[in-house]
Amino acid sequence: MAGIAVLALSACGSSAPKAATSAGSTSSTTLRLSADPGGALKFDTTKLSAKAGSVTLQMDNPAGSGVPHAIAVSGHGVNQAGQTVQPGGTSTETLTLKPGTYTFFCPVPGHEAAGMKGTLVVS
């Protein structure tokens, strides 16, 4: 019987990220988050969760942000970044993740140091 991936998401800010899962022999999860629409160097959440397997992070950079952003993930030997996008774009990164705690962040210079990061827990 196919397993179902279950997500538990917690958000800081006014809107929670959206998640989609698919059932099958391997887990595949898409997590959506957004950069701050007002241009602050932060995401709309600092905590994400997914099941081990294929995980796609889609980070929307709202048109009003006025700042380029991207999404990146590091930890447990993983260090991958999606394309940097201008306001109105979407940065996407798909990874195969094992159980553990990872950091997601904006790899644009200075953004992570300013607080544009969070924790991704993979179970």
Side-chain angles (χ1 to χ4, degrees):
M1 179 171 238
I4 298 176
V6 179
L7 297 175
L9 299 174
S10 169
C12 292
S14 61
S15 62
K18 298 172 189 149
T21 61
S22 14
S25 58
T26 60
S27 177
S28 177
T29 305
T30 298
L31 302 173
R32 293 184 58 97
L33 66 157
S34 177
D36 183 75
L41 298 181
K42 65 180 185 176
F43 293 117
D44 64 347
T45 185
T46 58
K47 295 182 182 187
L48 295 171
S49 298
K51 290 288 186 186
S54 178
V55 179
T56 299
L57 280 84
Q58 279 187 327
M59 188 276 313
D60 294 325
N61 187 5
S65 75
V67 182
H69 292 298
I71 189 68
V73 176
S74 66
H76 299 280
V78 171
N79 190 12
Q80 288 184 232
Q83 183 176 4
T84 299
V85 296
Q86 297 301 314
T90 301
S91 180
T92 302
E93 187 62 28
T94 300
L95 312 103
T96 300
L97 300 177
K98 297 177 182 177
T101 301
Y102 298 81
T103 298
F104 66 90
F105 60 97
C106 179
V108 172
H111 290 201
E112 180 183 12
M116 198 167 187
K117 61 185 172 182
T119 302
L120 168 61
V121 177
V122 178
S123 58

